[in-house]
Amino acid sequence: MLAPKSWILEHVDVPEGTSTDELTARLTLTGLKLEAIESAGADISGPLVVGRVLTKEPEPQKNGKTINWCTVDVGDANGTGEPQGIVCGAHNFEPGDLVVVVLPGGVLPGGFEISARKTYGHVSAGMICSARELGLGEDHDGIIVLPADAGEPGQDVRGILGLDEEVIELEVNPDRAYALSIRGIAREVAVSVPGATGFRDPALRDTPPADDQGHPVRLEDTTGCPVFVARTVSGFDPTAPTPDFIAQRITAAGMRPISLAVDVTNYVMLETGRPIHGYDADKVQGAIVVRRASEGEQLTTLDGTRRTLTAEDLVVCDDSGPIGLGGVMGGESTEISATTTRVLVESAHWDAVSMFRTGRRHKITSEAGKRNERGVDPTICEAAADRVVELLTTYGGASAEPGVTVVGEAPAMPTVTMALDLPARVSGLPIEPATTVAYLEAVGCTVSVDGETLTATPPPWRPDVTDPYDLVEEVVRLVGYDTIPSVLPAAPGGRGLTRAQQLRRRIGRTLAGAGWVEVVDFPFVGEADLDALGLEADDPRRTVLRLSNPLSSEAPAMTTTLLPALLRTAGRNVGLGASSVAVFETATVTLPRSSEAAPILPVDRRPTDAELDALVKALPDQPLHLGLVAAGEADPAGWWGPGRPVEWSDAVDAVRAVADALGLELDVRPATLAPWHPGRCAELRLGDALVGHAGELHPRVCTTFGLPARSVAAEVDLDVLIQHAVHLRPAPTFSTFPAAKEDVALVVEESVEAAAVEAALREGAGELLESIRLFDVYRSEQLGEGRKSLAFALRFRAPDRTLTDEDTTAAREAAVALAAERTGAVQRA
Amino acid sequence: MSGPNSEYDPVEVTPLQAEHVAAARDEAIAAIAAAADLEALKQVRIAHTGDRSPLALANREIGALPPQARKEAGQRIGQARGAVNQALAARQEVLEAEHEERMLVEETVDVTLPTDRRRRGGRHPITLQSELIADIFVAMGWEIAEGPVVEAEWLNFDALNLGPDHPARTMQDTFWTEPAERHVVLRTQTSPVQARTMLTRTPPIYVACPGRVFRTDEYDATHSPMFHQVEGLVVDEGITMAHLKGSLDHLASQLFGAGIDTRFRPSYFPFTEPSAEVDVRCFVCRGVDADSCRTCRGEGWIEWGGCGVVNPRVLVACGVDPERYSGFAFGMGIDRSFMFRHNLEDLRPLFEGDVRFSAAFGTEI
Ligand SMILES: [Zn+2]
């Protein structure tokens, strides 16, 4: 809300010398936050004074224009007291007129510096200003001519033009709709600024009594429209200009002056908070009826939009049908125009929920709608209408027609009961009952106290005050939030981070320690992303949860995999010149599982466990995934020698390192799954539980995402890993007897997996085997096509003795024998 | 092996004469002293202490001597050999030291060469900021609660006193999932985690809920459709706004430095009543000479989040007895806190995955 300070102070007195900063600081502390203080004249500097035109010599120019060579009395403002010679291109003034002069040294909006300069054969020492040049809006016709009694030549003109007006911009929360008016802000100043007195309510005025002579109105839906006041003025001069103070104030409040009739309704809305609608009375046919629209009914609103209405919309109708979307926007057929001489003034109260729904349904936001949907004082309809009539008669030459229509009545405010000590108990401040009563009365409540119980009836402009805690807020904000002490509550002994939380941190640190960089991506995905991964048509990752209102039609769903975003991120880094990229992300993915709705449960009690269960079951599965992508160098080349490019094993090992950090050892099996290379993809399992996949990306995927060939990726379900994480690991014991080492090289068919050979060796070697490690894979012509040699280093140790050569040989031979039996391995000579 | 020999003439054997022994000894010692390096010393050792060395040969003759002479000659040879061995050991030590010194000099490397043979990793600064905040709460004895980002409309709105026609619903532009009749949304706040906590636990409740939230904001320097929030919830007997202030002051001082506190301004949130905006004291200028401060733009305070006393309507919907318990709740942006804590003016680098950005923060902030 933009509120000119002078307008506020028209309705409340603050102590002499209260600065704008002090005033707004108090408002901020009591709930109307200062956004900005703006002043129209802020970008004007230097001498800007009243001048009296002494002479005006028209001088036609060769270019066809006529300029006026003027002398202007600017008093002592020019330092000499002599008349100032100024060239002026405008003609709307005569000698003797008071005008606005900016003297050399002055600066106008836009950084326009004024100096004495030679032009049209004269030295023009300054400028006679138009409204536009001063940033005061559009020119009507030329320069500003001040009223004859505006001031003395040489006098600073800022005060006269309202250029010294400070406009206070306040943030108004949805519960304080009353502060969307000068009335509300002035009231707020009266209760929150120390020493402020004399609040003068602009909506408190004597209004003529209702009669049955006014325009007939019938309310068919008194819930939607409980009060409707209609007044009519006739003999209105549609060409009458809007007085400067109204134009200046509504401009300052952020609205555009349009015409006197429209400007007056806006002015009264800003002043009282009550939106007013004006109709061209001659275009209204017959009685006004307020009702709900029939489904499909049509109305063309003021903005020229033809709207199809629903049965929930409230409409104002005449004999022709709907002529306005009640409380939201008027209709085109009865719009006030340049020929309107009779104005029908509507000042009606509308149901806030209805306004909210209609505004949202028809996507209309307006100053009127903003107020009506938040709640307006229903008791000031007559006063507001009367104020509009007053202004139209005063400035528009109109006269009020005798009839005054008032239909319906303002709904009564509910009473609220609370324990007298509640403000103290909630705030932790020692608030006395007398203080509570005083502040509630200050904000307009009617209060009574019975023992320990307080009953308050909120004022009609506070529809938001419905609960005891609402009363508490009113009291505490006026006592002052800044007086609330700071007391740290003593929580009971906590359990610290959960194990899952600790493990997630451990996973992040493990990967970062291994050279991977964490990134955060948006979880949105589109079909093209899934196509780019090369997913089969029936891949479950194509079953996505779609958004009704995605930001981008290219990513309209919640992703089922972290890989598309990670691949894009990796590709972007490669594009930026990174020679080595290794990124990871941990985030939940969304896996739809139910088509049931999540019920809207009651709020006046705790839902039953069955109700909550239905709620939770309607949600998709959201497992926590880890995704990672690496491209380029795994280890860089350097003075130490060549680097090593990333390969499939880097992805598998990163996941193994994560599992190892959780005390887990993964089972690795070959698999075929997009987006991986069909021959270089590992499926990672923990027994029966699938953990995820890792390996080299399919070459087409690398190309699609702008990644170098042989880039790698992994995606695993961290929830599975974390569930299986080993909690209590037993302490190991070690033999201190010497170890015996044996190497064996086994030749197997190419299709035999190293893990199978290793498992056979391990089992065959028996319990003397301490460790086994594959240290070489060798292929040669000598071995023959389709065969490979796997070299293992075996280490034996006994817990209780030094092993003999016979022990070791026997164990090794047993190992080789089992490997031969299981995998067809032949020991290499 | 040498020993008495019947054919041997038992006369004085020349090599055993004192002057010969002394000469052999002196010759050896001179050679030792002259050995320039360990290799030369090795040759000297062979020549003067080996099996064919004069002293070794002389020693062989001892057996031929009569007992008295044998004893004298033995002593003589023994002393000479001792002196030679001593000289050898001493020279060995000197030469080894020289050798080591030379080797060390020769092995000098340029230690200013790059050593980055391994990639350096890093964690995302928002993860780190979230963990830092979680640690502050855990240190107070609170727990960290979590919930899903795809959430039931009832938990995101209705349970929090945000009925379908509440004007504040439009303050949070919501992503809806298809079809809308299923009433499933992307959570617009982490508050549904608070509701879930109250629904599943009994007070006392002291929890903080960090997490991702979503609003249909177009992506620009200060808006993102996804951002991170942390909310706190306390439900216990006798909880007041003073406890709320104390908790936030503590969080502010832990996050931004000793003496940094908060300021409350009345505000409006359906979830809480009374409600307040929380400003945190500018940790750069501390409100002194704020006019030139870029962090708080001359305010002395930085808008940080919202808070208030849990609305009893919310307690009722979540199964907490409002007659017995009261509570407070607050929420603030993690990204926003990170941005002003680390002087980041455009939030987009947080979500664009440039590895240089995360890597710059390493594993701690
Ligand atoms: Zn500052």
Side-chain angles (χ1 to χ4, degrees):
Chain A
M1 172 79 189
L2 288 156
K5 186 182 170 193
S6 69
W7 203 358
I8 298 170
L9 295 185
E10 224 170 77
H11 297 284
V12 64
D13 300 322
V14 294
E16 193 83 23
T18 304
S19 71
T20 309
D21 284 346
E22 286 163 350
L23 184 80
T24 53
R26 279 304 299 170
L27 289 176
T28 295
L29 280 178
T30 53
L32 294 178
K33 185 186 180 253
L34 175 70
E35 288 285 327
I37 300 172
E38 278 162 18
S39 152
D43 43 7
I44 300 175
S45 63
L48 184 73
V49 300
V50 176
R52 185 182 302 283
V53 180
L54 300 175
T55 62
K56 175 191 176 196
E57 302 291 336
E59 295 181 357
Q61 302 295 314
K62 280 180 235 153
N63 61 10
K65 270 169 62 177
T66 300
I67 59 103
N68 293 300
W69 168 241
C70 308
T71 55
V72 184
D73 174 10
V74 293
D76 290 330
N78 56 6
T80 65
E82 295 298 314
Q84 196 83 355
I86 301 175
V87 169
C88 182
H91 304 281
N92 63 320
F93 63 99
E94 298 303 332
D97 281 351
L98 291 183
V99 295
V100 177
V101 178
V102 57
L103 294 171
V107 180
L108 296 185
F112 182 33
E113 289 180 33
I114 306 300
S115 57
R117 64 191 182 99
K118 206 153 189 260
T119 181
Y120 296 113
H122 298 282
V123 173
S124 182
M127 191 168 96
I128 303 176
C129 301
S130 69
R132 189 169 53 82
E133 285 155 350
L134 296 177
L136 287 174
E138 294 306 305
D139 301 336
H140 302 292
D141 41 9
I143 58 143
I144 298 169
V145 178
L146 298 168
D149 58 354
E152 293 302 316
Q155 184 185 336
D156 192 292
V157 83
R158 288 174 175 80
I160 298 164
L161 291 176
L163 284 173
D164 56 352
E165 176 75 282
E166 286 176 303
V167 179
I168 298 168
E169 184 178 4
L170 299 167
E171 183 185 83
V172 178
N173 288 313
D175 63 331
R176 293 194 193 287
Y178 69 96
L180 293 171
S181 67
I182 297 300
R183 179 191 190 218
I185 293 169
R187 188 191 308 277
E188 218 29 55
V189 169
V191 296
S192 63
V193 175
T197 54
F199 171 63
R200 295 173 289 283
D201 186 349
L204 192 66
R205 53 191 289 130
D206 289 330
T207 53
D211 56 32
D212 53 7
Q213 304 303 305
H215 195 97
V217 172
R218 197 169 74 247
L219 302 181
E220 292 189 353
D221 187 329
T222 51
T223 308
C225 179
V227 189
F228 196 111
V229 172
R231 297 283 300 274
T232 309
V233 299
S234 50
F236 176 71
D237 173 7
T239 66
T242 300
D244 286 347
F245 79 96
I246 290 181
Q248 280 168 17
R249 282 177 170 178
I250 64 177
T251 304
M255 300 182 80
R256 204 160 50 87
I258 294 164
S259 68
L260 176 61
V262 175
D263 296 348
V264 160
T265 58
N266 285 333
Y267 185 82
V268 174
M269 175 179 72
L270 292 168
E271 190 173 65
T272 64
R274 158 63 59 204
I276 309 279
H277 184 65
Y279 302 85
D280 185 328
D282 290 332
K283 294 180 189 159
V284 178
Q285 303 164 27
I288 283 178
V289 176
V290 179
R291 59 170 169 82
R292 300 279 169 179
S294 13
E295 195 73 36
E297 213 168 351
Q298 305 272 314
L299 169 67
T300 304
T301 43
L302 283 179
D303 56 359
T305 306
R306 184 140 187 87
R307 299 177 189 276
T308 304
L309 308 178
T310 78
E312 281 202 326
D313 294 323
L314 281 162
V315 283
V316 179
C317 307
D318 67 359
D319 293 350
S320 71
I323 55 169
L325 203 47
V328 177
M329 191 178 272
E332 201 176 53
S333 66
T334 53
E335 187 179 2
I336 289 174
S337 70
T339 57
T340 301
T341 58
R342 284 182 73 229
V343 179
L344 173 66
V345 178
E346 166 208 302
S347 176
H349 186 67
W350 305 94
D351 172 55
V353 169
S354 245
M355 296 298 102
F356 177 69
R357 289 187 182 171
T358 295
R360 201 168 44 167
R361 188 177 306 120
H362 296 288
K363 298 189 170 60
I364 298 173
T365 52
S366 66
E367 290 291 325
K370 191 163 89 184
R371 288 165 176 79
N372 280 328
E373 72 183 32
R374 285 169 170 76
V376 181
D377 184 345
T379 66
I380 61 167
C381 293
E382 289 173 72
D386 193 56
R387 175 72 166 142
V388 171
V389 169
E390 178 194 11
L391 293 172
L392 290 177
T393 51
T394 307
Y395 299 104
S399 51
E401 292 187 4
V404 175
T405 302
V406 180
V407 184
E409 64 186 287
M413 294 302 291
T415 58
V416 185
T417 302
M418 76 163 185
L420 197 49
D421 65 346
L422 192 63
R425 274 194 281 133
V426 169
S427 65
L429 284 166
I431 298 173
E432 296 297 326
T435 308
T436 296
V437 171
Y439 281 132
L440 289 178
E441 286 177 345
V443 299
C445 293
T446 308
V447 182
S448 65
V449 175
D450 180 10
E452 293 305 305
T453 304
L454 176 148
T455 302
T457 307
W461 58 87
R462 291 302 301 270
D464 61 298
V465 178
T466 57
D467 288 13
Y469 276 60
D470 297 330
L471 298 178
V472 170
E473 179 171 88
E474 292 306 304
V475 174
V476 179
R477 76 181 176 93
L478 292 174
V479 169
Y481 278 15
D482 52 339
T483 62
I484 296 170
S486 187
V487 179
L488 201 58
R495 65 173 178 212
L497 294 177
T498 63
R499 182 147 172 77
Q501 287 161 350
Q502 291 176 13
L503 294 180
R504 270 180 260 144
R505 290 186 178 194
R506 191 187 294 172
I507 289 165
R509 290 192 189 120
T510 299
L511 287 167
W516 297 79
V517 176
E518 186 180 18
V519 296
V520 172
D521 287 305
F522 296 150
F524 308 123
V525 77
E527 201 142 322
D529 295 318
L530 301 172
D531 291 344
L533 294 188
L535 302 192
E536 300 286 342
D538 61 350
D539 191 300
R541 287 169 292 176
R542 284 194 183 272
T543 307
V544 293
L545 180 68
R546 299 181 68 85
L547 298 171
S548 315
N549 53 340
L551 281 186
S552 156
S553 58
E554 280 160 26
M558 296 302 284
T559 195
T560 52
T561 161
L562 302 180
L563 291 179
L566 273 173
L567 289 166
R568 258 198 312 276
T569 295
R572 199 179 310 126
N573 279 288
V574 168
L576 284 168
S579 57
S580 167
V581 178
V583 289
F584 76 99
E585 177 170 27
T586 57
T588 56
V589 297
T590 304
L591 309 177
R593 60 175 169 182
S594 160
S595 55
E596 296 295 311
I600 298 296
L601 303 175
V603 294
D604 55 354
R605 59 166 172 86
R606 183 189 187 277
T608 64
D609 287 344
E611 285 170 330
L612 285 174
D613 201 40
L615 203 69
V616 170
K617 283 214 172 100
L619 297 178
D621 241 349
Q622 297 171 66
L624 182 71
H625 275 201
L626 162 68
L628 48 87
V629 171
E633 294 169 328
D635 298 324
W639 56 267
W640 51 76
R644 181 178 72 77
V646 158
E647 58 159 45
W648 64 271
S649 65
D650 289 306
V652 177
D653 196 57
V655 180
R656 275 185 157 141
V658 166
D660 187 56
L662 307 187
L664 297 170
E665 203 171 325
L666 294 172
D667 304 321
V668 180
R669 309 277 317 142
T672 303
L673 185 73
W676 285 278
H677 185 308
R680 297 184 173 190
C681 173
E683 177 186 275
L684 309 167
R685 305 190 77 94
L686 283 169
D688 291 339
L690 177 65
V691 174
H693 294 83
E696 183 179 314
L697 288 162
H698 194 289
R700 278 204 304 272
V701 174
C702 294
T703 311
T704 305
F705 286 96
L707 291 169
R710 312 235 173 270
S711 294
V712 303
E715 180 161 23
V716 298
D717 186 330
L718 286 185
D719 286 343
V720 172
L721 279 177
I722 288 170
Q723 274 160 26
H724 286 79
V726 177
H727 187 20
L728 294 171
R729 302 191 213 191
T733 54
F734 299 109
S735 165
T736 52
F737 288 93
K741 297 176 194 169
E742 291 276 342
D743 290 351
V744 294
L746 298 175
V747 177
V748 291
E749 295 297 320
E750 193 64 70
S751 61
V752 173
E753 290 159 15
V757 180
E758 184 185 312
L761 286 172
R762 190 183 290 277
E763 190 182 331
E767 54 192 21
L768 291 180
L769 184 74
E770 183 178 81
S771 69
I772 181 167
R773 179 175 164 75
L774 185 151
F775 67 89
D776 193 23
V777 180
Y778 174 75
R779 294 175 181 84
S780 72
E781 264 177 48
Q782 208 182 347
L783 289 174
E785 182 93 349
R787 293 161 74 77
K788 62 188 174 186
S789 163
L790 306 175
F792 292 89
L794 284 65
R795 180 189 283 261
F796 299 95
R797 204 191 305 257
D800 53 354
R801 65 199 157 95
T802 301
L803 291 175
T804 63
D805 287 352
E806 289 73 30
D807 290 332
T808 325
T809 306
R812 189 196 68 206
E813 283 171 358
V816 170
L818 194 62
E821 184 191 325
R822 294 258 178 90
T823 68
V826 178
Q827 189 161 11
R828 217 172 138 210
Chain B
M1 178 105 203
S2 62
N5 188 320
S6 55
E7 278 100 356
Y8 200 76
D9 186 14
V11 290
E12 188 77 349
V13 180
T14 313
L16 291 171
Q17 284 171 356
E19 53 272 40
H20 279 103
V21 171
R25 181 198 66 200
D26 293 347
E27 197 183 329
I29 287 174
I32 288 165
D37 56 31
L38 288 167
E39 184 51 36
L41 190 66
K42 192 175 164 191
Q43 297 309 318
V44 171
R45 185 190 304 275
I46 293 166
H48 293 279
T49 65
D51 288 350
R52 316 286 317 159
S53 66
L55 285 173
L57 292 174
N59 197 45
R60 284 196 200 163
E61 308 299 332
I62 289 175
L65 296 180
Q68 183 54 38
R70 193 188 297 171
K71 189 181 171 194
E72 285 172 18
Q75 275 177 354
R76 212 160 35 242
I77 296 281
Q79 280 167 359
R81 294 179 102 179
V84 170
N85 282 333
Q86 209 173 353
L88 265 176
R91 186 65 186 156
Q92 177 83 18
E93 200 172 319
V94 167
L95 289 177
E96 273 178 2
E98 280 177 15
H99 175 74
E100 186 183 66
E101 199 174 334
R102 202 164 51 246
M103 284 302 294
L104 292 176
V105 169
E106 283 168 7
E107 285 173 7
T108 298
V109 297
D110 178 0
V111 296
T112 70
L113 283 169
T115 58
D116 51 345
R117 295 181 190 223
R118 307 275 309 167
R119 289 185 311 242
R120 298 290 195 268
R123 301 180 70 207
H124 195 275
I126 292 302
T127 309
L128 298 173
Q129 179 85 58
S130 302
E131 290 180 359
L132 179 62
I133 290 170
D135 287 343
I136 294 168
F137 286 112
V138 167
M140 289 196 279
W142 298 30
E143 291 166 11
I144 306 303
E146 292 159 347
V149 297
V150 181
E151 184 59 287
E153 177 184 356
W154 186 83
L155 282 164
N156 192 68
F157 289 122
D158 303 70
L160 305 171
N161 194 33
L162 267 153
D165 292 312
H166 207 293
R169 271 211 188 184
T170 55
M171 290 159 63
Q172 301 182 358
D173 297 318
T174 309
F175 281 110
W176 295 86
T177 69
E178 278 185 357
E181 307 84 72
R182 287 194 57 226
H183 304 298
V184 173
V185 301
L186 304 194
R187 67 180 182 194
T188 57
Q189 47 194 354
T190 47
S191 315
V193 182
Q194 301 188 28
R196 284 170 174 267
T197 305
M198 285 188 276
L199 283 163
T200 53
R201 296 176 53 173
T202 48
I205 292 170
Y206 288 77
V207 294
C209 331
R212 295 177 173 192
V213 300
F214 297 84
R215 308 262 173 102
T216 56
D217 285 328
E218 289 293 340
Y219 186 48
D220 64 24
T222 53
H223 296 89
S224 168
M226 178 181 88
F227 55 101
H228 299 78
Q229 254 191 357
V230 59
E231 294 193 3
L233 171 73
V234 167
V235 180
D236 203 346
E237 291 179 6
I239 290 297
T240 71
M241 291 178 84
H243 296 126
L244 169 59
K245 181 80 163 61
S247 301
L248 287 170
D249 281 346
H250 184 73
L251 177 63
S253 67
Q254 294 298 301
L255 208 49
F256 300 108
I260 298 302
D261 56 359
T262 61
R263 173 179 84 168
F264 287 3
R265 287 181 285 109
S267 187
Y268 173 73
F269 308 105
F271 183 73
T272 51
E273 187 75 32
S275 301
E277 298 275 350
V278 190
D279 297 338
V280 62
R281 188 180 296 279
C282 177
F283 60 95
V284 174
C285 68
R286 292 178 178 252
V288 180
D289 286 335
D291 285 348
S292 57
C293 180
R294 284 179 59 224
T295 301
C296 63
R297 298 199 167 80
E299 300 270 328
W301 296 90
I302 303 164
E303 285 189 35
W304 198 22
C307 68
V309 174
V310 180
N311 194 314
R313 288 172 187 253
V314 174
L315 295 179
V316 168
C318 295
V320 175
D321 177 5
E323 297 301 319
R324 178 169 174 197
Y325 296 107
S326 56
F328 66 74
F330 57 82
M332 54 263 314
I334 294 176
D335 318 69
R336 200 178 134 63
S337 300
F338 172 82
M339 284 172 73
F340 60 73
R341 191 170 181 259
H342 294 268
N343 202 17
L344 176 70
E345 293 193 351
D346 184 334
L347 62 73
R348 284 172 289 195
L350 293 173
F351 303 116
E352 295 193 342
D354 189 323
V355 292
R356 295 170 296 183
F357 188 78
S358 286
F361 294 93
T363 54
E364 295 294 333
I365 56 170

